[in-house]
Amino acid sequence: MDQFEARAMTHMLVVEDATASRDWYVKVLGASVYGEYGGTSVVLDLLGNWLLLVTGGGPSPEKPTVTFAAPGDADHVSSQLIFRVDDCQGTYVLLSARGAQFLSAPLDRGGEIRAFFRDPDGHLFEISQLT
């Protein structure tokens, strides 16, 4: 094999409570549940992408130095998910009504309108509209 190939890609987020997070993603973002495993992990289909929510845990034989933990400080971010939308203001209103808590109202940055919100564990999301 000389080229990387994969069947799918899954984005994983570490959460404190898999059930509460599942409910938030279903209610706020309209995700659908693909599978749940032992109360510690949930696989969601979100806009045709796999999103795996897992509770934290310590090292294991295949990752002996790695600990999974939900964000400790929501204001220090190492990744975010970005949703390109056609109507940032309309999406902001919709998601706000569903329980998303935005950091601010959508802001026109010249060429792009965007707004940011967090899930219950502090993972950062952006809605963005090209103008």
Side-chain angles (χ1 to χ4, degrees):
M1 176 183 282
D2 62 346
Q3 187 174 1
F4 175 75
E5 294 180 25
R7 293 180 188 264
M9 186 178 86
T10 301
H11 190 87
M12 184 188 77
L13 297 175
V14 181
V15 299
E16 291 292 331
D17 182 329
T19 301
S21 292
R22 175 205 63 207
D23 293 348
W24 186 89
Y25 281 86
V26 168
K27 175 186 173 196
V28 175
L29 298 179
S32 59
V33 177
Y34 179 80
E36 298 185 63
Y37 309 96
T40 60
S41 63
V42 177
V43 179
L44 301 173
D45 180 343
L46 180 60
L47 301 173
N49 297 282
W50 295 116
L51 181 61
L52 172 61
L53 307 176
V54 300
T55 55
S60 63
E62 70 276 14
K63 51 178 186 50
T65 62
V66 177
T67 297
F68 287 170
D73 179 350
D75 289 331
H76 288 88
V77 176
S78 63
S79 70
Q80 77 175 35
L81 295 177
I82 303 167
F83 301 103
R84 181 72 69 194
V85 298
D86 292 329
D87 178 0
C88 194
Q89 182 65 38
T91 303
Y92 167 81
V93 169
L94 173 70
L95 295 181
S96 293
R98 290 181 177 180
Q101 296 182 353
F102 282 83
L103 304 182
S104 71
L107 179 64
D108 189 336
R109 305 272 303 169
E112 175 182 53
I113 300 170
R114 61 186 187 172
F116 295 85
F117 62 101
R118 294 186 177 119
D119 76 359
D121 290 286
H123 297 105
L124 189 64
F125 296 89
E126 174 185 341
I127 54 173
S128 172
Q129 172 190 345
L130 292 177
T131 56

